[in-house]
Amino acid sequence: MNKDVNNRHSLTITSLLTKTSTSIVTLTLLLSLTLMLPNQANAASKEYESYKRIKLGMTVTDVAKSIYGKSYKSHLKEENNVKTLNSKFLVKDIQKDYKYYHFVYYPKKKSKGNLFEYRMSIIMKTKQKGNTLYVVEKSYEPTKPSSKSFYKGKKPKEGTTLTTVDKSVSGKGLGVFVSHYTRDYSKVGEVVGKNKVEYSKKETWIYYNTQSSTGKTKYSLPFKYDYKKKVYILN
């Protein structure tokens, strides 16, 4: 378990400028989206509501409708023989066998070098030899994540469910998460090396910041969703 408060899936340009996006922490799930996403994360936020509406497997047109509503057509364009979003992107990879776009939304702040950090990320890719973009990854970071304290004598333990950890910290559970990330390449395929394509199954992660009862020890808690047990489990 990583006790470093730095989130290995944070939405920064330095952590996202690779097409595999394995370092970030990104739903067509077996459960409904409301069961998969915690309610604590800025539930009233329009940005978060927008994030929840976007599902893995959506086409680029579906995404445009979800984000922009009736004006969605004005946010689409044709290029490189594929329909895509006319939106800010970090990475665009146009290959003979596939097209890949990494879009970002909601800048958090302006930093040195004119670089921005973004709270929402959407990655879309075509199937091999295809020309339709599908959502394969997405991630979100709330503006004000919580940092709850464990009760005296309590500390995080790998294999524990999120519900159990909820009861081990002060206040109303773990509160607002640091980041949420989900991905699914099972139908589209992910290019991981030269002439190598993997069809990895969907996975979902959620991260929380916590600390010991004294505040001296900081924890970053990564929970992975178990689709069979239908619970988040601390890894």
Side-chain angles (χ1 to χ4, degrees):
M1 180 190 320
N2 180 11
K3 296 182 180 180
D4 187 350
V5 296
N6 291 324
N7 188 336
R8 69 184 177 90
H9 290 316
S10 67
L11 297 179
T12 63
I13 286 184
T14 54
S15 67
L16 288 175
L17 286 180
T18 62
K19 69 178 180 179
T20 59
S21 300
T22 53
S23 63
I24 72 168
V25 172
T26 126
L27 300 171
T28 45
L29 305 175
L30 298 178
L31 300 177
S32 69
L33 194 59
T34 54
L35 291 177
M36 288 296 301
L37 289 170
N39 295 320
Q40 301 99 320
N42 296 1
S45 167
K46 290 183 178 179
E47 295 176 0
Y48 183 58
E49 293 303 316
S50 176
Y51 174 75
K52 290 195 296 182
R53 288 194 300 269
I54 298 166
K55 301 178 182 180
L56 294 174
M58 272 186 168
T59 67
V60 66
T61 301
D62 292 333
V63 172
K65 289 179 179 179
S66 174
I67 296 176
Y68 303 109
K70 294 181 179 180
S71 66
Y72 77 94
K73 290 183 180 180
S74 64
H75 296 275
L76 292 169
K77 65 179 181 179
E78 293 278 348
E79 67 174 32
N80 302 305
N81 197 32
V82 67
K83 184 182 291 184
T84 185
L85 292 172
N86 186 19
S87 302
K88 172 74 176 179
F89 65 87
L90 289 182
V91 178
K92 178 172 67 174
D93 187 14
I94 307 301
Q95 300 293 332
K96 180 180 178 181
D97 292 339
Y98 67 89
K99 283 83 175 178
Y100 173 104
Y101 287 82
H102 185 162
F103 296 100
V104 287
Y105 300 86
Y106 315 134
K108 291 194 291 186
K109 62 181 180 180
K110 191 172 183 179
S111 58
K112 293 181 180 179
N114 246 358
L115 300 181
F116 286 85
E117 294 181 343
Y118 298 86
R119 289 196 295 278
M120 188 169 83
S121 170
I122 304 171
I123 294 177
M124 285 186 268
K125 179 185 174 295
T126 65
K127 295 180 180 180
Q128 296 302 106
K129 308 292 185 180
N131 291 304
T132 300
L133 287 170
Y134 297 93
V135 177
V136 289
E137 298 184 45
K138 71 169 191 170
S139 53
Y140 180 79
E141 292 185 3
T143 55
K144 296 180 180 180
S146 302
S147 184
K148 297 299 184 72
S149 299
F150 278 92
Y151 290 121
K152 186 176 181 180
K154 299 287 185 179
K155 62 179 181 179
K157 182 180 179 181
E158 290 185 21
T160 307
T161 66
L162 189 152
T163 302
T164 300
V165 177
D166 254 347
K167 299 176 182 178
S168 301
V169 296
S170 59
K172 296 181 180 180
L174 288 165
V176 180
F177 57 77
V178 176
S179 67
H180 182 275
Y181 168 72
T182 186
R183 72 197 309 269
D184 185 3
Y185 284 87
S186 61
K187 295 180 180 179
V188 174
E190 179 181 15
V191 179
V192 295
K194 187 176 181 181
N195 299 321
K196 184 178 181 180
V197 180
E198 290 185 356
Y199 293 84
S200 53
K201 296 180 180 179
K202 67 180 70 171
E203 63 179 68
T204 301
W205 293 81
I206 190 166
Y207 288 73
Y208 287 92
N209 280 341
T210 56
Q211 58 187 2
S212 62
S213 59
T214 61
K216 294 182 178 180
T217 303
K218 307 294 183 182
Y219 302 100
S220 178
L221 306 184
F223 291 89
K224 185 177 182 180
Y225 193 77
D226 186 314
Y227 291 95
K228 292 183 179 180
K229 297 180 180 179
K230 300 181 181 180
V231 293
Y232 280 99
I233 298 177
L234 184 60
N235 278 248

